[in-house]
Amino acid sequence: MLHWPLAFPQVFAAGGFDCVLGNPPWERIKLQEEEFFATRHRDVAQARNKAERSQRIGWLAEGMLARHLFPELEHAVSECEAEQRLYAEFITARRTAEAMSLFAHVAGEDGGRYPLTGVGDVNTYALFAETFAQLMAPTGRAGFIVPTGIATDDSTKAFFARITQGARLVSLYDIENRERLFPAVDSRMKFCLLTLGRAEQAEFVFFATRVEQLADPRRRFRLSPDEFRLLNPNTLTCPVFRSERDAELTKKLYRAAPVLIDDTRPDGNPWGIRFMAMLHMSNDSHLFADAPGAGRLPLYEAKMIHQFDHRWATYTPDGNSRDVTLAEHRAPEFTVTPRYWVDAAEVAQRLDDKGWTRGWLMGWRDICRGTDERTVIAAVVGRVGVGNQMPLMLFAERDKPQQYAALLANLSALVFDFVARHKTGGTHMNYFIFKQLPVLAPDRYTEADLSYIVPRVLELTYTAQDLKPWAQDLGFEGPPYAFDLDRRARLRAELDAYYARLYGLTRDELRYILDPSDVMGEDYPSETFRVLQKNELREFGEYRTQRLVLAAWDAQQQGE
């Protein structure tokens, strides 16, 4: 490996290179067995699982793989020797990868060369990016092509924070390969043209598919170091916007509400939230029962909930899940059937260990996509078992339990979901993403706010008897509310409009969130709730949510 200062002492005596250009390799340092054997031995690469693959690699070491797989055939000694040579080649490659990984992971205080990117499952592109930054002179420039994850992934957050907070990022132009700009690269790959140098603000373009789109001023936006701290104070990673209007509107929302949990501030957790993954679907599977029984509780999975609905999906006797019917929703005694059950004592112990005494739980779906109808799916469920793909929020005790209902309404609001879509690049609503979404603090709610929000949340959520403890905490002792689809749509629209006001939006900004083309024209390079709009046009013949939300805004504006 080249030692740059020793190889170019005159350059580094002057501060570094004036220009650094590169297209580094994008490869995980960790040896991938399937990839290694894909071009070397099909019978190893195509093993059904890791256990079978490990067994076949062991047979290679003995020179016995073909003999075990095809005992009916004749096998020459040379075939066995070839297998052993391949095994030796595999061991050498694995040891080389392990040595490289150890080198990359040496900490900076111990003289490590990659203190910012030598973490986790290291990819070579991240190491090269850090090297380019090290080679530049203070007045120089570096340009290179790397996956867009350099700006958004948790594993590279230290590097990205260094270049943004040090005013060293000039531009990042993100390109999706859907139109095969690079024919040999997977069409799903997202990569970026990254330029480093002196810059008070960094310029960005995301979701480009053609080179000429990089020059479209509607797609370009800028972020300063302060704005990175505003949008992602914990990780300083980069939010992903489709347009300049998306970026400016998101900044406004963050100025109106802080992130849910700011790890950089002693008072940065105003809700007093502790996260909990109650039961791991793999590691805790020995605790699960296949049938109900005395002292057992249902085990909820994320797919069983939706916004304001703890009875979204249920399991059938054949082990498949289906949507809950309208007739079932209208029956307050109906409860969903889970795939598994778990001992009530196990659930009680885990909640007691966390100091949680209430008769309900609030959590969200971990699995999500920014292209789904909605991104953040949060709900209240009873005191049941909950799988790890529905992380839970446990709260500090509040003088006003009604504020819990306001939080749920906030997490389910369209304006909140608009932001979440720009912060979710993959398929998981991870903790580090969830914590950095802008949530109104509990002290922002007046008595007038709660008197408007809480009754609507109560009616939307308390539709079944198993949520009676939740209703009681909200001060309600009556029976569950009727499950009326039209009324539920109106109640949700009223909450969406109300939260747009709480975040300080104008009517046109709310119109933009509902449908950018309604404000900016059909060719504007952004989309928000395209899937929701498409589904409603098919079901109702109109974008019903848009009509109801704007009607609710107008009614609130007139004091109705």
Side-chain angles (χ1 to χ4, degrees), residues 480-522:
Y481 287 88
F483 194 94
D484 183 307
L485 290 177
D486 290 337
R487 179 164 174 79
R488 290 174 66 82
R490 288 195 299 274
L491 292 173
R492 293 191 60 172
E494 289 168 357
L495 289 171
D496 285 329
Y498 200 86
Y499 272 88
R501 291 177 176 281
L502 289 176
Y503 276 93
L505 297 189
T506 66
R507 190 180 191 277
D508 280 346
E509 288 168 338
L510 178 57
R511 284 176 55 213
Y512 179 88
I513 284 175
L514 287 161
D515 181 8
S517 65
D518 184 41
V519 178
M520 306 298 293
E522 290 293 334

mmCIF file of all heavy atoms in Angstrom, residues 480-522:
data_model
loop_
_atom_site.group_PDB
_atom_site.id
_atom_site.type_symbol
_atom_site.label_atom_id
_atom_site.label_comp_id
_atom_site.label_asym_id
_atom_site.label_seq_id
_atom_site.Cartn_x
_atom_site.Cartn_y
_atom_site.Cartn_z
ATOM 1 N N PRO A 480 -66.414 1.655 22.816
ATOM 2 C CA PRO A 480 -65.629 1.955 21.612
ATOM 3 C C PRO A 480 -66.467 2.697 20.573
ATOM 4 O O PRO A 480 -67.690 2.553 20.502
ATOM 5 C CB PRO A 480 -65.212 0.568 21.105
ATOM 6 C CG PRO A 480 -65.259 -0.306 22.321
ATOM 7 C CD PRO A 480 -66.390 0.212 23.146
ATOM 8 N N TYR A 481 -65.791 3.468 19.747
ATOM 9 C CA TYR A 481 -66.460 4.234 18.698
ATOM 10 C C TYR A 481 -66.735 3.342 17.486
ATOM 11 O O TYR A 481 -66.012 2.373 17.218
ATOM 12 C CB TYR A 481 -65.593 5.417 18.267
ATOM 13 C CG TYR A 481 -65.539 6.524 19.271
ATOM 14 C CD1 TYR A 481 -64.587 6.530 20.285
ATOM 15 C CD2 TYR A 481 -66.452 7.583 19.226
ATOM 16 C CE1 TYR A 481 -64.537 7.560 21.220
ATOM 17 C CE2 TYR A 481 -66.407 8.610 20.154
ATOM 18 C CZ TYR A 481 -65.446 8.585 21.145
ATOM 19 O OH TYR A 481 -65.411 9.608 22.081
ATOM 20 N N ALA A 482 -67.751 3.710 16.728
ATOM 21 C CA ALA A 482 -68.074 2.991 15.497
ATOM 22 C C ALA A 482 -66.972 3.209 14.465
ATOM 23 O O ALA A 482 -66.386 4.292 14.378
ATOM 24 C CB ALA A 482 -69.412 3.467 14.950
ATOM 25 N N PHE A 483 -66.721 2.183 13.690
ATOM 26 C CA PHE A 483 -65.691 2.247 12.648
ATOM 27 C C PHE A 483 -66.379 2.654 11.340
ATOM 28 O O PHE A 483 -66.882 1.815 10.588
ATOM 29 C CB PHE A 483 -64.993 0.896 12.509
ATOM 30 C CG PHE A 483 -63.714 0.942 11.720
ATOM 31 C CD1 PHE A 483 -62.499 1.088 12.356
ATOM 32 C CD2 PHE A 483 -63.729 0.839 10.328
ATOM 33 C CE1 PHE A 483 -61.312 1.129 11.626
ATOM 34 C CE2 PHE A 483 -62.556 0.885 9.595
ATOM 35 C CZ PHE A 483 -61.345 1.034 10.244
ATOM 36 N N ASP A 484 -66.381 3.948 11.065
ATOM 37 C CA ASP A 484 -67.062 4.511 9.901
ATOM 38 C C ASP A 484 -65.999 5.093 8.966
ATOM 39 O O ASP A 484 -65.326 6.070 9.305
ATOM 40 C CB ASP A 484 -68.038 5.592 10.348
ATOM 41 C CG ASP A 484 -68.834 6.179 9.194
ATOM 42 O OD1 ASP A 484 -68.217 6.620 8.201
ATOM 43 O OD2 ASP A 484 -70.078 6.201 9.290
ATOM 44 N N LEU A 485 -65.841 4.502 7.783
ATOM 45 C CA LEU A 485 -64.754 4.888 6.894
ATOM 46 C C LEU A 485 -64.830 6.349 6.466
ATOM 47 O O LEU A 485 -63.803 7.055 6.447
ATOM 48 C CB LEU A 485 -64.744 3.978 5.654
ATOM 49 C CG LEU A 485 -64.318 2.526 5.888
ATOM 50 C CD1 LEU A 485 -64.425 1.730 4.592
ATOM 51 C CD2 LEU A 485 -62.885 2.456 6.417
ATOM 52 N N ASP A 486 -66.009 6.817 6.112
ATOM 53 C CA ASP A 486 -66.132 8.202 5.661
ATOM 54 C C ASP A 486 -65.810 9.177 6.791
ATOM 55 O O ASP A 486 -65.112 10.178 6.588
ATOM 56 C CB ASP A 486 -67.542 8.459 5.126
ATOM 57 C CG ASP A 486 -67.795 7.745 3.801
ATOM 58 O OD1 ASP A 486 -66.809 7.438 3.109
ATOM 59 O OD2 ASP A 486 -68.966 7.488 3.481
ATOM 60 N N ARG A 487 -66.328 8.894 7.970
ATOM 61 C CA ARG A 487 -66.047 9.780 9.098
ATOM 62 C C ARG A 487 -64.567 9.736 9.462
ATOM 63 O O ARG A 487 -63.963 10.778 9.775
ATOM 64 C CB ARG A 487 -66.903 9.405 10.304
ATOM 65 C CG ARG A 487 -66.636 10.281 11.512
ATOM 66 C CD ARG A 487 -67.711 10.196 12.573
ATOM 67 N NE ARG A 487 -67.338 10.933 13.763
ATOM 68 C CZ ARG A 487 -67.422 12.255 13.901
ATOM 69 N NH1 ARG A 487 -67.875 12.991 12.882
ATOM 70 N NH2 ARG A 487 -67.067 12.849 15.016
ATOM 71 N N ARG A 488 -63.966 8.573 9.414
ATOM 72 C CA ARG A 488 -62.542 8.464 9.723
ATOM 73 C C ARG A 488 -61.712 9.291 8.741
ATOM 74 O O ARG A 488 -60.732 9.933 9.121
ATOM 75 C CB ARG A 488 -62.105 6.997 9.698
ATOM 76 C CG ARG A 488 -62.669 6.177 10.844
ATOM 77 C CD ARG A 488 -62.315 4.691 10.696
ATOM 78 N NE ARG A 488 -60.888 4.470 10.829
ATOM 79 C CZ ARG A 488 -60.233 4.360 11.976
ATOM 80 N NH1 ARG A 488 -60.898 4.487 13.122
ATOM 81 N NH2 ARG A 488 -58.937 4.142 12.001
ATOM 82 N N ALA A 489 -62.091 9.277 7.471
ATOM 83 C CA ALA A 489 -61.361 10.078 6.475
ATOM 84 C C ALA A 489 -61.466 11.563 6.804
ATOM 85 O O ALA A 489 -60.480 12.317 6.675
ATOM 86 C CB ALA A 489 -61.903 9.793 5.080
ATOM 87 N N ARG A 490 -62.641 12.014 7.235
ATOM 88 C CA ARG A 490 -62.809 13.432 7.583
ATOM 89 C C ARG A 490 -62.012 13.795 8.835
ATOM 90 O O ARG A 490 -61.373 14.853 8.896
ATOM 91 C CB ARG A 490 -64.296 13.749 7.786
ATOM 92 C CG ARG A 490 -65.103 13.760 6.493
ATOM 93 C CD ARG A 490 -66.463 14.424 6.707
ATOM 94 N NE ARG A 490 -67.274 13.718 7.685
ATOM 95 C CZ ARG A 490 -68.069 12.691 7.399
ATOM 96 N NH1 ARG A 490 -68.136 12.233 6.148
ATOM 97 N NH2 ARG A 490 -68.793 12.110 8.334
ATOM 98 N N LEU A 491 -62.041 12.914 9.836
ATOM 99 C CA LEU A 491 -61.290 13.188 11.064
ATOM 100 C C LEU A 491 -59.791 13.281 10.777
ATOM 101 O O LEU A 491 -59.090 14.156 11.300
ATOM 102 C CB LEU A 491 -61.561 12.104 12.105
ATOM 103 C CG LEU A 491 -62.974 12.058 12.692
ATOM 104 C CD1 LEU A 491 -63.130 10.824 13.586
ATOM 105 C CD2 LEU A 491 -63.287 13.322 13.480
ATOM 106 N N ARG A 492 -59.301 12.386 9.956
ATOM 107 C CA ARG A 492 -57.878 12.402 9.633
ATOM 108 C C ARG A 492 -57.516 13.656 8.845
ATOM 109 O O ARG A 492 -56.455 14.258 9.062
ATOM 110 C CB ARG A 492 -57.505 11.145 8.846
ATOM 111 C CG ARG A 492 -57.622 9.870 9.659
ATOM 112 C CD ARG A 492 -56.994 8.691 8.959
ATOM 113 N NE ARG A 492 -55.571 8.934 8.725
ATOM 114 C CZ ARG A 492 -54.733 8.017 8.277
ATOM 115 N NH1 ARG A 492 -55.179 6.787 8.036
ATOM 116 N NH2 ARG A 492 -53.471 8.292 8.086
ATOM 117 N N ALA A 493 -58.393 14.067 7.931
ATOM 118 C CA ALA A 493 -58.137 15.281 7.166
ATOM 119 C C ALA A 493 -58.096 16.498 8.084
ATOM 120 O O ALA A 493 -57.261 17.408 7.906
ATOM 121 C CB ALA A 493 -59.205 15.452 6.094
ATOM 122 N N GLU A 494 -58.968 16.530 9.066
ATOM 123 C CA GLU A 494 -58.975 17.647 10.013
ATOM 124 C C GLU A 494 -57.675 17.688 10.804
ATOM 125 O O GLU A 494 -57.105 18.767 11.037
ATOM 126 C CB GLU A 494 -60.176 17.525 10.942
ATOM 127 C CG GLU A 494 -61.504 17.803 10.242
ATOM 128 C CD GLU A 494 -62.710 17.418 11.068
ATOM 129 O OE1 GLU A 494 -62.535 16.862 12.188
ATOM 130 O OE2 GLU A 494 -63.836 17.659 10.598
ATOM 131 N N LEU A 495 -57.175 16.529 11.214
ATOM 132 C CA LEU A 495 -55.897 16.486 11.930
ATOM 133 C C LEU A 495 -54.743 16.888 11.019
ATOM 134 O O LEU A 495 -53.820 17.605 11.434
ATOM 135 C CB LEU A 495 -55.662 15.088 12.507
ATOM 136 C CG LEU A 495 -56.545 14.692 13.689
ATOM 137 C CD1 LEU A 495 -56.366 13.210 14.026
ATOM 138 C CD2 LEU A 495 -56.244 15.551 14.919
ATOM 139 N N ASP A 496 -54.774 16.430 9.771
ATOM 140 C CA ASP A 496 -53.711 16.807 8.828
ATOM 141 C C ASP A 496 -53.665 18.315 8.640
ATOM 142 O O ASP A 496 -52.587 18.928 8.638
ATOM 143 C CB ASP A 496 -53.943 16.117 7.475
ATOM 144 C CG ASP A 496 -53.603 14.637 7.504
ATOM 145 O OD1 ASP A 496 -52.701 14.253 8.275
ATOM 146 O OD2 ASP A 496 -54.240 13.866 6.758
ATOM 147 N N ALA A 497 -54.817 18.937 8.472
ATOM 148 C CA ALA A 497 -54.860 20.391 8.298
ATOM 149 C C ALA A 497 -54.406 21.103 9.571
ATOM 150 O O ALA A 497 -53.681 22.110 9.513
ATOM 151 C CB ALA A 497 -56.276 20.822 7.914
ATOM 152 N N TYR A 498 -54.817 20.581 10.718
ATOM 153 C CA TYR A 498 -54.464 21.218 11.990
ATOM 154 C C TYR A 498 -52.952 21.177 12.215
ATOM 155 O O TYR A 498 -52.350 22.172 12.653
ATOM 156 C CB TYR A 498 -55.199 20.528 13.140
ATOM 157 C CG TYR A 498 -55.298 21.365 14.388
ATOM 158 C CD1 TYR A 498 -56.342 22.274 14.543
ATOM 159 C CD2 TYR A 498 -54.357 21.258 15.406
ATOM 160 C CE1 TYR A 498 -56.440 23.057 15.691
ATOM 161 C CE2 TYR A 498 -54.442 22.034 16.549
ATOM 162 C CZ TYR A 498 -55.491 22.932 16.687
ATOM 163 O OH TYR A 498 -55.586 23.706 17.812
ATOM 164 N N TYR A 499 -52.333 20.040 11.905
ATOM 165 C CA TYR A 499 -50.880 19.941 12.104
ATOM 166 C C TYR A 499 -50.116 20.785 11.089
ATOM 167 O O TYR A 499 -49.024 21.290 11.395
ATOM 168 C CB TYR A 499 -50.435 18.479 12.093
ATOM 169 C CG TYR A 499 -50.514 17.899 13.483
ATOM 170 C CD1 TYR A 499 -51.683 17.314 13.940
ATOM 171 C CD2 TYR A 499 -49.454 18.000 14.363
ATOM 172 C CE1 TYR A 499 -51.783 16.830 15.242
ATOM 173 C CE2 TYR A 499 -49.531 17.530 15.660
ATOM 174 C CZ TYR A 499 -50.700 16.938 16.096
ATOM 175 O OH TYR A 499 -50.796 16.486 17.386
ATOM 176 N N ALA A 500 -50.648 20.958 9.906
ATOM 177 C CA ALA A 500 -50.011 21.877 8.968
ATOM 178 C C ALA A 500 -49.962 23.283 9.564
ATOM 179 O O ALA A 500 -48.964 23.998 9.412
ATOM 180 C CB ALA A 500 -50.770 21.872 7.644
ATOM 181 N N ARG A 501 -51.004 23.662 10.275
ATOM 182 C CA ARG A 501 -51.021 24.967 10.944
ATOM 183 C C ARG A 501 -50.030 25.008 12.101
ATOM 184 O O ARG A 501 -49.322 25.997 12.297
ATOM 185 C CB ARG A 501 -52.422 25.276 11.462
ATOM 186 C CG ARG A 501 -53.435 25.539 10.370
ATOM 187 C CD ARG A 501 -54.824 25.761 10.955
ATOM 188 N NE ARG A 501 -55.753 26.099 9.894
ATOM 189 C CZ ARG A 501 -55.860 27.306 9.346
ATOM 190 N NH1 ARG A 501 -55.095 28.293 9.781
ATOM 191 N NH2 ARG A 501 -56.709 27.525 8.369
ATOM 192 N N LEU A 502 -49.999 23.935 12.891
ATOM 193 C CA LEU A 502 -49.070 23.911 14.022
ATOM 194 C C LEU A 502 -47.617 24.027 13.562
ATOM 195 O O LEU A 502 -46.771 24.594 14.270
ATOM 196 C CB LEU A 502 -49.265 22.636 14.836
ATOM 197 C CG LEU A 502 -50.560 22.538 15.660
ATOM 198 C CD1 LEU A 502 -50.646 21.168 16.345
ATOM 199 C CD2 LEU A 502 -50.626 23.649 16.709
ATOM 200 N N TYR A 503 -47.320 23.504 12.377
ATOM 201 C CA TYR A 503 -45.964 23.613 11.832
ATOM 202 C C TYR A 503 -45.739 24.951 11.116
ATOM 203 O O TYR A 503 -44.641 25.198 10.607
ATOM 204 C CB TYR A 503 -45.688 22.472 10.858
ATOM 205 C CG TYR A 503 -45.235 21.188 11.519
ATOM 206 C CD1 TYR A 503 -46.153 20.203 11.866
ATOM 207 C CD2 TYR A 503 -43.889 20.952 11.784
ATOM 208 C CE1 TYR A 503 -45.744 19.015 12.458
ATOM 209 C CE2 TYR A 503 -43.465 19.768 12.365
ATOM 210 C CZ TYR A 503 -44.397 18.799 12.706
ATOM 211 O OH TYR A 503 -43.986 17.625 13.290
ATOM 212 N N GLY A 504 -46.768 25.788 11.055
ATOM 213 C CA GLY A 504 -46.607 27.120 10.490
ATOM 214 C C GLY A 504 -46.668 27.193 8.983
ATOM 215 O O GLY A 504 -46.141 28.145 8.380
ATOM 216 N N LEU A 505 -47.322 26.225 8.330
ATOM 217 C CA LEU A 505 -47.399 26.228 6.875
ATOM 218 C C LEU A 505 -48.500 27.170 6.381
ATOM 219 O O LEU A 505 -49.453 27.481 7.100
ATOM 220 C CB LEU A 505 -47.682 24.820 6.351
ATOM 221 C CG LEU A 505 -46.632 23.751 6.630
ATOM 222 C CD1 LEU A 505 -46.969 22.481 5.866
ATOM 223 C CD2 LEU A 505 -45.236 24.234 6.263
ATOM 224 N N THR A 506 -48.362 27.593 5.147
ATOM 225 C CA THR A 506 -49.418 28.321 4.457
ATOM 226 C C THR A 506 -50.279 27.323 3.682
ATOM 227 O O THR A 506 -49.915 26.143 3.535
ATOM 228 C CB THR A 506 -48.827 29.333 3.470
ATOM 229 O OG1 THR A 506 -48.152 28.608 2.423
ATOM 230 C CG2 THR A 506 -47.840 30.263 4.160
ATOM 231 N N ARG A 507 -51.395 27.797 3.166
ATOM 232 C CA ARG A 507 -52.267 26.906 2.393
ATOM 233 C C ARG A 507 -51.555 26.393 1.145
ATOM 234 O O ARG A 507 -51.681 25.212 0.787
ATOM 235 C CB ARG A 507 -53.551 27.643 1.998
ATOM 236 C CG ARG A 507 -54.634 26.724 1.403
ATOM 237 C CD ARG A 507 -55.879 27.522 1.040
ATOM 238 N NE ARG A 507 -57.008 26.658 0.728
ATOM 239 C CZ ARG A 507 -57.229 26.086 -0.455
ATOM 240 N NH1 ARG A 507 -56.366 26.285 -1.451
ATOM 241 N NH2 ARG A 507 -58.306 25.329 -0.654
ATOM 242 N N ASP A 508 -50.795 27.261 0.466
ATOM 243 C CA ASP A 508 -50.082 26.817 -0.732
ATOM 244 C C ASP A 508 -48.994 25.806 -0.398
ATOM 245 O O ASP A 508 -48.725 24.884 -1.185
ATOM 246 C CB ASP A 508 -49.478 28.020 -1.460
ATOM 247 C CG ASP A 508 -50.502 28.753 -2.315
ATOM 248 O OD1 ASP A 508 -51.587 28.184 -2.550
ATOM 249 O OD2 ASP A 508 -50.220 29.885 -2.740
ATOM 250 N N GLU A 509 -48.362 25.960 0.761
ATOM 251 C CA GLU A 509 -47.358 24.963 1.163
ATOM 252 C C GLU A 509 -48.021 23.625 1.458
ATOM 253 O O GLU A 509 -47.469 22.561 1.151
ATOM 254 C CB GLU A 509 -46.586 25.479 2.369
ATOM 255 C CG GLU A 509 -45.633 26.620 2.005
ATOM 256 C CD GLU A 509 -45.058 27.341 3.204
ATOM 257 O OE1 GLU A 509 -45.670 27.271 4.308
ATOM 258 O OE2 GLU A 509 -44.010 27.978 3.059
ATOM 259 N N LEU A 510 -49.205 23.651 2.048
ATOM 260 C CA LEU A 510 -49.946 22.413 2.257
ATOM 261 C C LEU A 510 -50.363 21.808 0.921
ATOM 262 O O LEU A 510 -50.293 20.586 0.737
ATOM 263 C CB LEU A 510 -51.167 22.682 3.127
ATOM 264 C CG LEU A 510 -52.096 21.485 3.403
ATOM 265 C CD1 LEU A 510 -51.329 20.338 4.046
ATOM 266 C CD2 LEU A 510 -53.262 21.918 4.277
ATOM 267 N N ARG A 511 -50.794 22.636 -0.014
ATOM 268 C CA ARG A 511 -51.128 22.145 -1.356
ATOM 269 C C ARG A 511 -49.917 21.472 -1.989
ATOM 270 O O ARG A 511 -50.038 20.424 -2.634
ATOM 271 C CB ARG A 511 -51.588 23.300 -2.244
ATOM 272 C CG ARG A 511 -52.993 23.806 -1.989
ATOM 273 C CD ARG A 511 -53.278 25.020 -2.880
ATOM 274 N NE ARG A 511 -53.054 24.726 -4.281
ATOM 275 C CZ ARG A 511 -52.603 25.616 -5.183
ATOM 276 N NH1 ARG A 511 -52.288 26.845 -4.800
ATOM 277 N NH2 ARG A 511 -52.447 25.262 -6.442
ATOM 278 N N TYR A 512 -48.739 22.066 -1.801
ATOM 279 C CA TYR A 512 -47.521 21.470 -2.377
ATOM 280 C C TYR A 512 -47.245 20.104 -1.775
ATOM 281 O O TYR A 512 -46.889 19.161 -2.485
ATOM 282 C CB TYR A 512 -46.331 22.403 -2.144
ATOM 283 C CG TYR A 512 -45.037 21.848 -2.701
ATOM 284 C CD1 TYR A 512 -44.667 22.095 -4.008
ATOM 285 C CD2 TYR A 512 -44.191 21.057 -1.912
ATOM 286 C CE1 TYR A 512 -43.493 21.575 -4.536
ATOM 287 C CE2 TYR A 512 -43.027 20.534 -2.426
ATOM 288 C CZ TYR A 512 -42.681 20.795 -3.738
ATOM 289 O OH TYR A 512 -41.525 20.266 -4.256
ATOM 290 N N ILE A 513 -47.395 19.991 -0.467
ATOM 291 C CA ILE A 513 -47.153 18.706 0.189
ATOM 292 C C ILE A 513 -48.115 17.647 -0.337
ATOM 293 O O ILE A 513 -47.734 16.494 -0.557
ATOM 294 C CB ILE A 513 -47.265 18.865 1.718
ATOM 295 C CG1 ILE A 513 -46.008 19.558 2.258
ATOM 296 C CG2 ILE A 513 -47.479 17.525 2.406
ATOM 297 C CD1 ILE A 513 -46.059 19.862 3.726
ATOM 298 N N LEU A 514 -49.352 18.028 -0.565
ATOM 299 C CA LEU A 514 -50.328 17.075 -1.100
ATOM 300 C C LEU A 514 -50.005 16.679 -2.531
ATOM 301 O O LEU A 514 -50.154 15.510 -2.898
ATOM 302 C CB LEU A 514 -51.727 17.693 -1.024
ATOM 303 C CG LEU A 514 -52.341 17.777 0.371
ATOM 304 C CD1 LEU A 514 -53.472 18.783 0.398
ATOM 305 C CD2 LEU A 514 -52.823 16.395 0.822
ATOM 306 N N ASP A 515 -49.550 17.625 -3.339
ATOM 307 C CA ASP A 515 -49.266 17.339 -4.752
ATOM 308 C C ASP A 515 -48.443 18.485 -5.331
ATOM 309 O O ASP A 515 -48.984 19.546 -5.630
ATOM 310 C CB ASP A 515 -50.568 17.176 -5.535
ATOM 311 C CG ASP A 515 -50.318 16.843 -7.006
ATOM 312 O OD1 ASP A 515 -49.165 16.597 -7.381
ATOM 313 O OD2 ASP A 515 -51.305 16.843 -7.772
ATOM 314 N N PRO A 516 -47.127 18.312 -5.491
ATOM 315 C CA PRO A 516 -46.290 19.400 -6.000
ATOM 316 C C PRO A 516 -46.751 19.939 -7.352
ATOM 317 O O PRO A 516 -46.650 21.144 -7.608
ATOM 318 C CB PRO A 516 -44.901 18.757 -6.102
ATOM 319 C CG PRO A 516 -44.927 17.663 -5.093
ATOM 320 C CD PRO A 516 -46.331 17.140 -5.106
ATOM 321 N N SER A 517 -47.273 19.081 -8.220
ATOM 322 C CA SER A 517 -47.675 19.534 -9.542
ATOM 323 C C SER A 517 -48.860 20.494 -9.474
ATOM 324 O O SER A 517 -49.062 21.304 -10.385
ATOM 325 C CB SER A 517 -48.023 18.346 -10.434
ATOM 326 O OG SER A 517 -49.168 17.653 -9.945
ATOM 327 N N ASP A 518 -49.650 20.433 -8.399
ATOM 328 C CA ASP A 518 -50.789 21.323 -8.235
ATOM 329 C C ASP A 518 -50.341 22.775 -8.050
ATOM 330 O O ASP A 518 -51.070 23.706 -8.372
ATOM 331 C CB ASP A 518 -51.622 20.870 -7.032
ATOM 332 C CG ASP A 518 -52.890 21.689 -6.849
ATOM 333 O OD1 ASP A 518 -53.539 22.002 -7.866
ATOM 334 O OD2 ASP A 518 -53.223 22.027 -5.697
ATOM 335 N N VAL A 519 -49.114 22.946 -7.554
ATOM 336 C CA VAL A 519 -48.581 24.290 -7.297
ATOM 337 C C VAL A 519 -47.539 24.687 -8.341
ATOM 338 O O VAL A 519 -47.531 25.823 -8.826
ATOM 339 C CB VAL A 519 -47.963 24.371 -5.883
ATOM 340 C CG1 VAL A 519 -47.353 25.741 -5.624
ATOM 341 C CG2 VAL A 519 -48.997 24.030 -4.831
ATOM 342 N N MET A 520 -46.684 23.736 -8.710
ATOM 343 C CA MET A 520 -45.514 24.056 -9.523
ATOM 344 C C MET A 520 -45.641 23.652 -10.986
ATOM 345 O O MET A 520 -44.770 23.979 -11.790
ATOM 346 C CB MET A 520 -44.280 23.375 -8.924
ATOM 347 C CG MET A 520 -44.040 23.674 -7.461
ATOM 348 S SD MET A 520 -43.744 25.422 -7.134
ATOM 349 C CE MET A 520 -42.170 25.655 -7.939
ATOM 350 N N GLY A 521 -46.695 22.921 -11.343
ATOM 351 C CA GLY A 521 -46.841 22.468 -12.723
ATOM 352 C C GLY A 521 -46.476 21.005 -12.868
ATOM 353 O O GLY A 521 -45.756 20.423 -12.051
ATOM 354 N N GLU A 522 -46.978 20.399 -13.938
ATOM 355 C CA GLU A 522 -46.848 18.954 -14.126
ATOM 356 C C GLU A 522 -45.409 18.480 -14.275
ATOM 357 O O GLU A 522 -45.089 17.353 -13.943
ATOM 358 C CB GLU A 522 -47.656 18.518 -15.362
ATOM 359 C CG GLU A 522 -49.160 18.599 -15.183
ATOM 360 C CD GLU A 522 -49.681 17.599 -14.160
ATOM 361 O OE1 GLU A 522 -49.017 16.563 -13.966
ATOM 362 O OE2 GLU A 522 -50.733 17.851 -13.557
#
